[in-house]
Amino acid sequence: MVRKRLPSGGDARPTVHTVAARAGVSIASASRVLNGVGGSPETIRKVREAAAEVGYVPNAIARSLQSQRTGLIALAVEDIGNPVYVAMMRAIEAVVAESGRQLLVHATGGKVDNETALLRRLANRYVDGMIVSPIRVTDAHLDALVDSPVPVVVVGQLPEDAPVDNVRTDSRTGVALAVDHLVESGRRQIGFVNGPLDTVPGAARDAGFRAALASHGIEIDDRLIEVGDFQYAAGRAATQRLLARAQPDALLCANDLIAVGALHALYGANQTVPQDVALVGMDDTELAQMAFPQISSVSLGSVTRGRRAAELLLERIADPSLPPRREQVAPSLVVRASSVAESPTPHGLPTVEVTA
Amino acid sequence: MVRKRLPSGGDARPTVHTVAARAGVSIASASRVLNGVGGSPETIRKVREAAAEVGYVPNAIARSLQSQRTGLIALAVEDIGNPVYVAMMRAIEAVVAESGRQLLVHATGGKVDNETALLRRLANRYVDGMIVSPIRVTDAHLDALVDSPVPVVVVGQLPEDAPVDNVRTDSRTGVALAVDHLVESGRRQIGFVNGPLDTVPGAARDAGFRAALASHGIEIDDRLIEVGDFQYAAGRAATQRLLARAQPDALLCANDLIAVGALHALYGANQTVPQDVALVGMDDTELAQMAFPQISSVSLGSVTRGRRAAELLLERIADPSLPPRREQVAPSLVVRASSVAESPTPHGLPTVEVTA
DNA sequence: TTGTACGCGTTATCAG
DNA sequence: CTGATAACGCGTACAA
């Protein structure tokens, strides 16, 4: 037997049909009134009344199927506990809200499976566009990106030929800024606490660090290089391992979470900062300012990158025929108390910004 | 003229029709193969092939309209930069992922309009359920909550009669734990840096603080109470204002972000922690451990609350006829170096003394 | 197993 | 201004 529409049956959610029937008009008229286009005063009154009585609320899914849009933008990042992504998210949110859309965030945990699954699910029309900042990029990943039915903008490094809108920074130069600063301050035993080497930022920062040391004629001592996760606890543990076998007079950390971990490891090893060991982080997040002493940090322009990514996405949504675009944001170094021995206090001091 | 379906026109996205036509079968067969139910080996081959050729990717919106579900859960919090929400989110994510769904997060900025707008948009079937943790609750808000077409669970205080699943804590008791601890440590000039009084947690903590002092027979000195936002910078500024007019020997902060701000304000005022001023935060986030010295903090069980909220939500999705449930998570106090003068610091080091 | 046709809830088009 | 009806893309009874 063929199912027929129930005659406004039971406690099912009211639809336009329910409202129309109750108001004694056609669903077309009901829909028009509900959308505020047209309708005689009398019709408007009847429909409004009926809608209120049955507690009508439109089904956004059905509306989207028809309109081919949802008014939703998604952002996928590895770890929402990392303040750099929070800053990026805020920048994106501002742009997205401006366009009348809403931003949804998903934390992927850096797992490629998770991220491609998200792409396959969300990008299939649940959202009007996506911004994704992957720390690991695989071929499957790239396929998911280019096959995406909705526009996608990538924040971060991507293969040259990937036909995807992309906003990147130059972390090699960023690392060089930090190393230059430390060398100029007279440091020579510069240690490096990095994130996983199988991640895009991890690999780039490792290469940048080695190149920067080489440019100063400093030999690379692998005992001064340690790897962990991009997190506080891992950064602290990694620094402890490093300190157990070497005596750095400076420490560069691949992000601010690691830097705070390093700071605590240094305290635990009776080292003063910046006197014994100068400390520099990366990403220039709020965390660098919240530490004591405040931590010098390489800004990779995450706010700018987020904003530009959002703008690129909105442009592409408006005009999908645009060619793939690639933008780069220059890094800069924000010097704070953790790397300047002469600095009397972490507070009330103007910070110095150094650009490449 | 009535529009007719274009004969697999141009560069429009392929649909089941496209695939079916190309494979020379009906859309029903195509759909069945695509969903892995039924189909002869030959049909399966043809459909798979056709799908691959045209790069078919299913439209999730259309699928959801039919299936009445999206596999998506949303979480709405005020500020994703607050680590307490990050912890909560992780707990929720674990449960949600377990059920095969994905979690989407939205930061409302504490604006009621924004939050109700989100409820009206997302809850209208874009997601299978929502968890929302509002810091301000208005009538409009409550209406949006109870009218929601999809299940909603609220984390935080709600009026007694609100027919909404709800997981709360008892922040009054939480504040009392902190005050008791400080009083027992011999502190009497206990200051309080709170968040906005027009928020639910702000109001509850203010009441709790006054009640706790009263229970110890300590007179309330309004000069020792200051209000700002639930953020680092605001907490620091508020503490500076407080220190300009009073000399507390202890400071309770309404959350850990404020506590870190207070810590810096104290450093700036030449105060040692915990010797001159004992410091206690709330929420017991990672931030409390990342500060130096590590900050004592009142745990409001945010991880437990998040997990329970997610479990309640999944239960309700499975059975919408359940009666509204209300759960409470007991607070506890985690004592660290910032409030115990005799205690060695977390790293066996004496607390740092700071000079201007 | 396969194809036809209906319905999910909405908006948009067309004729009256 | 109003009503009938075709889509949006998909899943699935039902009959063949």
Side-chain angles (χ1 to χ4, degrees):
Chain A
M1 188 194 71
V2 175
R3 280 180 300 158
K4 280 295 173 189
R5 184 190 307 284
L6 300 176
S8 91
D11 49 10
R13 286 243 151 239
T15 74
V16 209
H17 294 85
T18 322
V19 175
R22 183 156 190 129
V25 300
S26 71
I27 61 165
S29 292
S31 175
R32 276 189 290 257
V33 171
L34 262 12
N35 286 302
V37 296
S40 71
E42 175 64 3
T43 305
I44 293 179
R45 190 191 57 74
K46 286 190 295 187
V47 172
R48 290 253 171 83
E49 206 166 276
E53 281 171 12
V54 299
Y56 170 75
V57 36
N59 182 321
I61 288 280
R63 184 198 303 248
S64 291
L65 179 60
Q66 158 71 26
S67 66
Q68 304 282 31
R69 60 187 304 281
T70 65
L72 262 24
I73 300 289
L75 166 67
V77 296
E78 181 224 349
D79 172 24
I80 220 169
N82 187 333
V84 71
Y85 292 123
V86 174
M88 190 177 286
M89 183 209 75
R90 290 191 176 134
I92 292 170
E93 170 115 58
V95 177
V96 165
E98 177 84 18
S99 81
R101 283 174 252 251
Q102 280 167 328
L103 181 68
L104 266 21
V105 187
H106 180 83
T108 63
K111 278 160 285 185
V112 177
D113 292 356
N114 199 330
E115 203 162 311
T116 48
L118 188 76
L119 275 163
R120 299 229 174 277
R121 176 172 260 163
L122 277 195
N124 294 348
R125 308 297 190 183
Y126 273 134
V127 296
D128 293 341
M130 271 187 90
I131 299 174
V132 26
S133 185
I135 62 168
R136 291 176 229 264
V137 175
T138 65
D139 286 344
H141 215 107
L142 279 174
D143 289 346
L145 287 174
V146 301
D147 289 351
S148 169
V150 302
V152 175
V153 176
V154 169
V155 177
Q157 221 72 25
L158 224 51
E160 282 306 317
D161 55 342
V164 181
D165 288 329
N166 160 261
V167 184
R168 57 181 61 191
T169 183
D170 179 3
S171 46
R172 286 180 69 122
T173 300
V175 170
L177 286 176
V179 171
D180 292 354
H181 164 64
L182 291 169
V183 170
E184 281 162 18
S185 311
R187 312 285 176 165
R188 285 298 177 277
Q189 298 293 313
I190 304 176
F192 182 40
V193 187
N194 197 5
L197 292 177
D198 68 344
T199 63
V200 176
R205 286 161 206 197
D206 182 72
F209 181 71
R210 291 169 191 275
L213 283 194
S215 79
H216 285 283
I218 300 179
E219 200 177 341
I220 284 146
D221 179 354
D222 279 321
R223 291 174 311 151
L224 283 169
I225 300 182
E226 186 56 71
V227 166
D229 270 339
F230 284 112
Q231 312 236 333
Y232 163 77
R236 184 169 159 182
T239 305
Q240 284 167 341
R241 291 196 297 274
L242 192 156
L243 292 178
R245 63 165 186 252
Q247 294 80 42
D249 60 9
L251 227 38
L252 173 62
C253 298
N255 74 11
D256 288 343
L257 281 167
I258 295 176
V260 173
L263 185 61
H264 283 199
L266 289 167
Y267 282 155
N270 270 334
Q271 303 284 300
T272 59
V273 175
Q275 290 81 1
D276 293 337
V277 178
L279 186 64
V280 177
M282 295 189 77
D283 284 342
D284 187 34
T285 63
E286 276 190 304
L287 210 52
Q289 303 174 46
M290 291 170 61
F292 183 80
Q294 295 192 316
I295 301 175
S296 299
S297 193
V298 177
S299 167
L300 297 174
S302 44
V303 168
T304 306
R305 281 187 292 157
R307 183 170 42 74
R308 284 303 296 151
E311 290 167 353
L312 289 183
L313 182 60
L314 294 184
E315 287 171 23
R316 176 161 300 284
I317 288 174
D319 179 6
S321 70
L322 257 29
R325 290 151 301 167
R326 168 154 308 165
E327 295 200 2
Q328 185 144 351
V329 175
S332 62
L333 174 67
V334 180
V335 176
R336 299 197 181 87
S338 73
S339 67
V340 188
E342 320 83 55
S343 165
T345 163
H347 313 298
L349 279 184
T351 53
V352 192
E353 189 152 338
V354 182
T355 43
Chain B
M1 192 192 72
V2 174
R3 278 181 300 157
K4 281 293 174 188
R5 184 188 307 282
L6 300 176
S8 93
D11 50 8
R13 287 244 150 238
T15 74
V16 209
H17 294 86
T18 321
V19 175
R22 184 159 190 126
V25 300
S26 71
I27 60 164
S29 292
S31 175
R32 277 188 288 256
V33 171
L34 263 12
N35 287 301
V37 296
S40 71
E42 175 63 3
T43 305
I44 292 180
R45 189 192 57 73
K46 286 190 296 187
V47 171
R48 290 254 170 84
E49 207 165 275
E53 281 170 14
V54 300
Y56 171 76
V57 36
N59 182 319
I61 288 282
R63 186 199 301 253
S64 290
L65 180 59
Q66 155 73 23
S67 66
Q68 302 284 31
R69 61 187 301 284
T70 65
L72 262 24
I73 300 288
L75 167 67
V77 296
E78 182 224 347
D79 171 25
I80 221 166
N82 187 333
V84 71
Y85 292 124
V86 174
M88 191 177 285
M89 184 209 74
R90 290 190 175 134
I92 292 170
E93 170 116 58
V95 177
V96 165
E98 175 86 19
S99 80
R101 283 174 252 250
Q102 279 167 329
L103 181 67
L104 266 21
V105 187
H106 180 83
T108 63
K111 278 161 285 185
V112 177
D113 292 356
N114 198 330
E115 203 161 312
T116 48
L118 188 76
L119 276 163
R120 299 232 174 274
R121 175 173 260 163
L122 276 195
N124 295 347
R125 307 296 188 184
Y126 274 135
V127 296
D128 294 340
M130 274 187 89
I131 298 174
V132 25
S133 184
I135 63 168
R136 292 175 228 265
V137 175
T138 65
D139 285 344
H141 214 107
L142 279 174
D143 288 347
L145 287 174
V146 301
D147 289 351
S148 169
V150 302
V152 174
V153 176
V154 169
V155 177
Q157 221 71 26
L158 224 51
E160 282 306 318
D161 55 342
V164 180
D165 288 330
N166 158 261
V167 184
R168 58 182 59 192
T169 182
D170 178 3
S171 47
R172 286 181 69 121
T173 300
V175 170
L177 286 176
V179 170
D180 291 353
H181 164 64
L182 291 170
V183 169
E184 281 162 17
S185 311
R187 312 284 175 164
R188 286 298 177 276
Q189 298 292 312
I190 304 176
F192 182 39
V193 187
N194 197 5
L197 291 177
D198 68 343
T199 62
V200 176
R205 287 162 206 195
D206 182 72
F209 181 72
R210 291 168 191 275
L213 283 195
S215 78
H216 286 283
I218 300 179
E219 200 178 341
I220 284 146
D221 178 355
D222 279 320
R223 292 175 310 152
L224 282 170
I225 300 181
E226 186 56 72
V227 166
D229 269 340
F230 283 112
Q231 313 236 333
Y232 163 76
R236 184 169 159 182
T239 306
Q240 284 167 342
R241 291 195 297 274
L242 191 156
L243 292 178
R245 64 166 185 249
Q247 294 80 43
D249 60 10
L251 226 40
L252 173 62
C253 299
N255 74 12
D256 288 343
L257 281 167
I258 295 176
V260 173
L263 185 60
H264 283 199
L266 289 167
Y267 282 157
N270 269 338
Q271 303 284 299
T272 58
V273 175
Q275 290 81 0
D276 293 337
V277 178
L279 185 65
V280 177
M282 295 189 76
D283 283 342
D284 187 33
T285 64
E286 276 189 305
L287 210 53
Q289 302 173 48
M290 291 171 61
F292 189 82
Q294 295 192 313
I295 301 174
S296 298
S297 193
V298 177
S299 167
L300 298 175
S302 43
V303 167
T304 306
R305 279 187 294 158
R307 182 169 43 74
R308 284 303 295 149
E311 290 167 353
L312 288 184
L313 182 60
L314 294 184
E315 286 171 24
R316 176 162 300 284
I317 288 174
D319 179 6
S321 71
L322 257 31
R325 292 151 300 167
R326 168 155 305 166
E327 295 200 1
Q328 184 144 351
V329 176
S332 61
L333 174 67
V334 180
V335 176
R336 299 197 181 87
S338 73
S339 66
V340 188
E342 324 80 55
S343 148
T345 62
H347 315 304
L349 283 180
T351 321
V352 206
E353 194 161 336
V354 186
T355 51

